Amino acid sequence: RSDVNEFLGFLREFADKCHHGKEEGLLFPALIDAGLPSQEGPIAVMLAEHAQGREWIGAMQAAAEPEWNAADFATAATGYIRLLQAHIGKENDILFPMAEQLLDRAQLDALAAAFEKHEATVIGQGRHEQLHAMLKKLKAKHLGEQ
């Protein structure tokens, strides 16, 4: 159970607070300023998927405590995995190329600097590496990956 809680903490801190935080607080406003609508299209889809991801993480947490419910956890984890795989595909194939078309080099460079500042401020200096080390440890323990 402690490993599950550690992993769910990773999802909340790294995937949601850090990665989605960069998108919601920095990238999306820049794209909206560049003319992309916020209530429809890619931004609305991404925001809805961020919310759905938070719901799946909450469902995994509910299945882990106070009593472990493996079936409910597996359902929520599978839903989250499917959502995240599709979400990452949309980022890579649609959202990020769109940002590169709509924003000029100076804006992209400013975003990159703001992303670094966000990460240092929101999760702390060096925390990114700590989280990846924690994932590596969990993968080795549970998946036999080095």
Side-chain angles (χ1 to χ4, degrees):
R1 189 172 292 176
S2 67
D3 289 349
V4 167
N5 285 327
E6 193 172 16
F7 182 68
L8 292 175
F10 166 83
L11 293 177
R12 283 189 191 96
E13 185 175 1
F14 185 77
D16 191 36
K17 190 176 179 182
C18 185
H19 177 79
H20 294 159
K22 290 176 191 175
E23 290 177 347
E24 293 173 6
L26 300 165
L27 177 60
F28 296 167
L31 292 173
I32 292 166
D33 288 346
L36 212 59
S38 61
Q39 301 300 315
E40 57 186 36
I43 292 174
V45 170
M46 294 291 129
L47 288 171
E49 289 180 358
H50 290 179
Q52 179 63 58
R54 292 178 187 115
E55 289 177 20
W56 283 126
I57 292 169
M60 284 186 275
Q61 186 70 59
E65 294 182 350
E67 288 289 319
W68 177 253
N69 184 319
D72 287 352
F73 187 87
T75 297
T78 300
Y80 185 76
I81 290 166
R82 289 182 179 144
L83 173 75
L84 205 57
Q85 288 171 332
H87 184 80
I88 291 168
K90 289 174 193 161
E91 287 175 336
N92 291 337
D93 297 337
I94 299 168
L95 184 68
F96 298 154
M98 191 175 287
E100 289 177 344
Q101 288 180 340
L102 290 172
L103 305 174
D104 64 30
R105 175 54 39 206
Q107 290 170 306
L108 292 171
D109 290 344
L111 268 177
F115 289 163
E116 287 185 32
K117 183 178 179 184
H118 173 88
E119 189 165 317
T121 304
V122 170
I123 66 170
Q125 201 69 15
R127 183 67 176 145
H128 188 116
E129 293 77 14
Q130 291 172 343
L131 290 168
H132 279 276
M134 181 266 299
L135 274 185
K136 186 176 180 178
K137 176 192 77 160
L138 289 174
K139 285 172 72 175
K141 180 177 178 181
H142 296 283
L143 302 175
E145 294 183 20
Q146 295 301 322

